């Protein structure tokens, strides 16, 4: 596995791969890798000749400086996981390499970012779209792989790709969970034992809500009961629980035949903010 | 010269060129070509193996529907000019090809677009940045060529390229003028004879103002005298005249040692809106 630290180095690497007719897959990450990331690498491995993983804790997508400071960084352990997963190149740029000058332009994704993560983390999706655009221009992948745990992020990136005609495909892979249902996340490492023990409640509430959606329980009631269930656990402070259209991400007042529903939540446990979601197909 | 009408066709064309190790130049235009455009093609020809010109009257950068409707469209004449200039491929997409679905994302370039064209043509630079991003993703040039007549547009595109780390270089070529000083523009074709006769005043006023800047006449006085000179001509209705920092485009209250100044104007002549500018080097 080749280690690359500069944009020019990555561009040269991928240009050579494309000249040789190889298919390039990109797995953008912020490191502290878990099985969810490795599944993305394996998916890329099965479909591409070159698999480039990037590890970059992107400051511009953190609205909370403390969250950025505390984000886990374990580069050696990450590299050791990527090699057996089939990664052929690892891109680990510095902040100065990714942002040689302050960024002026800002993206606005309209209604897509007026809800959930966009509403609760001002500037988050601008930072995501900026860094993803940069990574796409540096790695020039045929395919880029993202986890469905960040459902709204995937929707925003799909919109970015469509609206700017990026010449690549976005692949979204299912959320990988611990045995007790907790969605894998780099931030799970920061949970204290009591919070970790309480954390499976998030998926339990999502699963129960999904069952209610399947049974046709109205969105407002699903939302209220889920919020109540989260609030009953003293170690969990819910930030939002939303019943939304899976494509537009807009909150639902009523179900629409033929349209998938996504249930999304964010909650704080002992100072750590976690998100999760479940999709109910139409 | 190959004619391409689809994004996929252009992407395949340019991918093949790059695989063959060729340098690709892109000259984005809205057609109705004049010597200013042809100079861009010739510059690309002298520096690149492949020269791709695009002709696309981009609806999303017109804030005025009538201006869009009346924008000159002469595709056959354009093609006849491009071949001898050294263009190797012409990309002429339909609106549906460029915008297969409505665009959701919007760009904001901050202070850079709060002045002059950005202030007077709401949404203009969002449309420019969107279409230019699309063309860059479709043509994947090593270099893209723009005319300095659209000074603010060049500044916005340079910011776009820097902020999203597009892997290409922007080349700006000097404004080409008629013998009487009028900056070449596709919109000049729409001038009636009286307006055409009055139009050289724009450059005359810019040249006089540039001389004043060189002599250290304060920006406010330069601005006032230029506006007065434009207003004295009954066939000319000035929209703005600005004395600005050439890089930041912000209006100047006073000159700053070592920084270039740009003088920019927009004016209406017989229903046709023209812009022009002159740069005074530091």
């Amino acid at each position: 596995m080749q280690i690359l630290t500069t944009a020019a180095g990555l561009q040269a690497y991928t240009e050579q791969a494309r000249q040789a007719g190889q298919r390039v897959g990109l797995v953008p990450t912020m490191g502290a890798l878990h099985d969810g990331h490795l599944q993305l690498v394996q998916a890329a491995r099965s479909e591409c000749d070159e698999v480039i993983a990037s590890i970059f804790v992107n400051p511009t997508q953190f609205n909370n400086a403390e969250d950025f400071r505390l984000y886990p960084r374990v580069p050696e352990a990450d590299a050791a996981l990527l090699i057996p997963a089939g990664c052929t190149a690892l891109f680990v740029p510095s902040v100065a390499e990714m942002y040689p000058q302050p960024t002026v332009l800002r993206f606005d994704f309209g209604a897509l970012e007026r809800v959930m993560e966009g509403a609760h983390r001002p500037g988050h999706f601008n930072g995501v779209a900026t860094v993803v655009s940069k990574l796409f221009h540096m790695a020039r992948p045929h395919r880029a792989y993202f986890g469905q745990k960040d459902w709204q992020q995937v929707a925003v990136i799909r919109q970015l790709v469509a609206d700017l005609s990026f010449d690549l495909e976005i692949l979204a892979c299912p959320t990988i969970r611990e045995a007790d249902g907790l969605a894998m996340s780099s931030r799970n490492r920061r949970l204290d034992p009591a919070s970790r023990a309480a954390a499976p409640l998030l998926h339990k509430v999502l699963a129960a809500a999904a069952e209610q959606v399947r049974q046709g329980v109205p969105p407002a009631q699903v939302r209220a009961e889920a919020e109540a269930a989260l609030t009953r656990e003293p170690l969990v402070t819910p930030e939002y629980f939303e019943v939304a259209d899976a494509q537009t991400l807009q909150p639902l007042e009523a179900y629409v035949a033929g349209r998938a529903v996504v249930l999304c939540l964010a909650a704080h446990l002992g100072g750590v903010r976690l998100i999760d979601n479940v999709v109910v197909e139409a």
Side-chain angles (χ1 to χ4, degrees), chain A residues 177 180-181 198-213 222-233 236 238 240-243 263-265 267 276-278:
Chain A
R177 301 181 178 282
D180 60 13
L201 177 67
L202 305 188
H203 180 245
K204 207 176 135 200
V205 167
L206 283 169
E211 187 49 37
Q212 288 186 309
V213 171
V222 173
R223 209 175 279 132
E225 291 185 16
E227 278 167 4
L230 292 166
T231 306
R232 272 196 297 276
E233 167 53 63
V236 171
Y240 64 78
F241 182 97
E242 209 48 88
V243 182
L263 304 165
C264 298
L265 66 76
D276 197 359
N277 68 75
V278 166

Side-chain angles (χ1 to χ4, degrees), chain A residues 26-30 33-44 54 61 71 117 124-125 128 132 136 143-158 169-177 183-186 246 249 262 264 275-279:
Chain A
L26 174 69
V27 182
T29 84
M30 299 208 298
L33 303 179
H34 50 66
D35 283 353
H37 298 110
L38 298 178
Q39 182 210 222
L40 302 178
V41 173
Q42 285 150 10
S54 64
Q61 74 189 69
Y71 200 88
E117 292 302 285
H124 173 62
F125 286 120
V128 167
V132 164
F136 286 172
R143 293 188 163 193
Y145 297 79
F146 295 89
Q148 288 190 4
K149 204 203 69 175
D150 299 300
W151 184 266
Q152 191 176 7
Q153 171 174 283
V154 173
V156 165
I157 293 171
R158 283 192 195 283
E169 257 181 290
I170 298 298
L171 279 287
C173 297
T175 303
I176 304 292
R177 301 181 178 282
M184 291 202 184
S185 164
S186 304
L249 302 186
V262 66
C264 298
I275 61 171
D276 197 359
N277 68 75
V278 166
V279 176

Side-chain angles (χ1 to χ4, degrees), chain A residues 93-162:
Chain A
S94 66
V95 171
E97 183 68 19
M98 291 299 282
Y99 296 100
Q101 56 183 41
T103 304
V104 169
L105 84 76
R106 293 189 65 81
F107 288 101
D108 186 331
F109 290 92
L112 212 47
E113 63 163 303
R114 298 282 179 277
V115 296
M116 304 194 290
E117 292 302 285
H120 289 267
R121 302 183 67 187
H124 173 62
F125 286 120
N126 174 61
V128 167
T130 302
V131 79
V132 164
S133 295
K134 284 172 177 279
L135 290 170
F136 286 172
H137 290 144
M138 293 171 187
R140 262 271 286 165
H142 294 87
R143 293 188 163 193
Y145 297 79
F146 295 89
Q148 288 190 4
K149 204 203 69 175
D150 299 300
W151 184 266
Q152 191 176 7
Q153 171 174 283
V154 173
V156 165
I157 293 171
R158 283 192 195 283
Q159 193 71 51
L160 172 74
V161 167

Side-chain angles (χ1 to χ4, degrees), chain A residues 259-273:
Chain A
R259 291 195 67 88
V261 172
V262 66
L263 304 165
C264 298
L265 66 76
H268 296 259
L269 294 88
V272 181
R273 185 178 186 276

Side-chain angles (χ1 to χ4, degrees), chain A residues 37-104:
Chain A
H37 298 110
L38 298 178
Q39 182 210 222
L40 302 178
V41 173
Q42 285 150 10
R45 173 78 282 181
S46 70
E47 298 170 355
C48 305
D49 306 299
E50 285 285 347
V51 178
I52 299 165
S54 64
I55 296 182
F56 180 62
V57 185
N58 174 36
T60 69
Q61 74 189 69
F62 285 83
N63 56 313
N64 178 329
E66 192 67 357
D67 188 27
F68 174 66
R69 193 177 68 77
L70 293 176
Y71 200 88
R73 291 162 170 92
V74 289
E76 291 79 11
D78 288 344
L81 290 169
L82 286 168
I83 296 169
C87 181
T88 54
L90 171 58
F91 180 52
V92 278
S94 66
V95 171
E97 183 68 19
M98 291 299 282
Y99 296 100
Q101 56 183 41
T103 304
V104 169

